[in-house]
Amino acid sequence: MLEVRNLTKTFGGLVAVNRADFTVSSGEILAVIGPNGAGKTTIFNLITGILAPDKGEIKFQNRLLNRMKPYQIARLGISRTFQNLELFRTMTVAENVMVGAYTRDTTGFIGAMLRRPGTSLQDQERYAEAVEILRGVGLADYADEQADSLPFGLQRLLEIARALASRPKLVLLDEPAAGLNASESQALVGVLRSLQEQGLTFVLVEHDMTTVMDVADRIVVLNFGSVIASGAPAEIRSNAEVIRAYLGEDEP
Ligand SMILES: Nc1ncnc2c1ncn2[C@@H]1O[C@H](COP(=O)(O)OP(=O)(O)OP(=O)(O)O)[C@@H](O)[C@H]1O
Ligand SMILES: [Mg+2]
């Protein structure tokens, strides 16, 4: 589904992403892990067109994304969440999801923001669709609550629901378990698995190793912008170079 080849991005003298290579297969959950500053979020910014690569290729279903604009990439079926929650706090839960549908909306993002929902037939359909998407992450009962009234763990799920509103094929999740307690993380894993069963593909960046080991089909490890290992969770867990990157131990 996604092919990243020789991807490189520098900021001044800093090589944030260094000849990174990895692929994502349709229907899988791939985790990208690595220490702070390893280049994980930068890779998401490159895939979604927020940043342009210096070198390398990003192909989604065989189409080169390199020179596409973020909205064009979104329309091809890639959506994302952000490392810090980016919800519209005073809008309702359902409205947050409806705004997320803007990539398909002819009036666009600003139109979606300015219109008061609930008047036209199109709005009613969109509301029903938002509730359906919320059901998929277990939030249907909260549809009419104000977003910032939800507990933090549910706000994280709302962020995912909003990313699903554009009907993506591939969803990039930037630290979806950050700030979640153990039971909230378990709920997140259950939601991702059920969405996977419905045919979605995920790449998630995550520091919480329990969540990564529970949910990932495959793991890619980054260190200083380079891929240092990739494989099944069990292989990664016992990989010496990965352990060194995390624990900062010297070469033996
Ligand atoms: N827009 C930018 N301008 C300059 N430097 C940047 C920019 N974005 C990222 N960087 C730098 O690139 C490196 C990689 O950053 P990135 O945010 O991709 O790391 P990360 O793996 O997501 O880290 P974390 O786990 O802390 O979120 C860091 O050294 C960061 O300071
Ligand atoms: Mg990051």
Side-chain angles (χ1 to χ4, degrees), residues 11 14 16 34-43 51 83 175 207:
F11 297 110
L14 176 91
N36 291 113
K40 305 179 299 293
T41 297
T42 302
I43 287 181
L51 293 172
Q83 192 162 347
E175 302 199 22
H207 284 289

Side-chain angles (χ1 to χ4, degrees), residues 19-34:
R19 300 181 179 192
D21 275 293
F22 65 92
T23 59
V24 185
S25 301
S26 181
E28 81 173 333
I29 299 180
L30 176 76
V32 176
I33 65 169

Side-chain angles (χ1 to χ4, degrees), residues 30-228:
L30 176 76
V32 176
I33 65 169
N36 291 113
K40 305 179 299 293
T41 297
T42 302
I43 287 181
F44 278 9
N45 289 338
L46 291 165
I47 294 170
T48 53
I50 292 172
L51 293 172
D54 296 334
K55 275 190 228 149
E57 281 187 357
I58 305 169
K59 278 187 182 169
F60 176 65
Q61 296 185 319
N62 270 323
R63 298 180 64 168
L64 193 64
L65 304 187
N66 288 41
R67 270 179 259 288
M68 289 192 194
K69 302 247 182 315
Y71 78 88
Q72 295 173 310
I73 293 169
R75 279 188 187 160
L76 288 180
I78 301 180
S79 132
R80 74 176 291 180
T81 64
F82 292 89
Q83 192 162 347
N84 300 310
L85 280 178
E86 308 253 346
L87 296 171
F88 296 102
R89 301 172 54 85
T90 60
M91 290 167 74
T92 69
V93 167
E95 283 167 354
N96 267 274
V97 176
M98 291 161 82
V99 167
Y102 78 89
T103 54
R104 297 172 321 174
D105 194 335
T106 45
T107 57
F109 180 69
I110 300 296
M113 287 278 297
L114 294 179
R115 226 154 14 95
R116 289 305 299 167
T119 48
S120 71
L121 189 62
Q122 194 196 18
D123 287 335
Q124 286 169 31
E125 283 169 6
R126 186 137 295 166
Y127 176 82
E129 204 179 333
V131 173
E132 219 28 63
I133 289 166
L134 287 166
R135 201 177 310 286
V137 303
L139 291 182
D141 291 346
Y142 300 89
D144 301 321
E145 307 286 327
Q146 189 165 306
D148 65 4
S149 74
L150 297 188
F152 184 75
L154 299 187
Q155 291 190 31
R156 281 259 173 228
L157 292 176
L158 174 54
E159 176 102 343
I160 295 173
R162 194 177 56 177
L164 299 176
S166 60
R167 298 289 181 197
K169 299 169 187 143
L170 172 66
V171 186
L172 313 178
L173 304 171
D174 202 346
E175 302 199 22
L180 301 189
N181 63 35
S183 71
E184 290 170 332
S185 298
Q186 274 311 108
L188 170 71
V189 168
V191 165
L192 296 182
R193 284 263 171 243
S194 84
L195 294 169
Q196 178 186 34
E197 276 164 26
Q198 293 164 40
L200 273 162
T201 306
F202 290 96
V203 180
L204 80 152
V205 160
E206 188 48 66
H207 284 289
D208 178 48
M209 290 309 284
T210 309
T211 301
V212 167
M213 292 295 166
D214 279 356
V215 82
D217 298 311
R218 212 154 50 81
I219 299 175
V220 165
V221 188
L222 281 181
N223 198 20
F224 296 111
S226 299
V227 175
I228 60 167

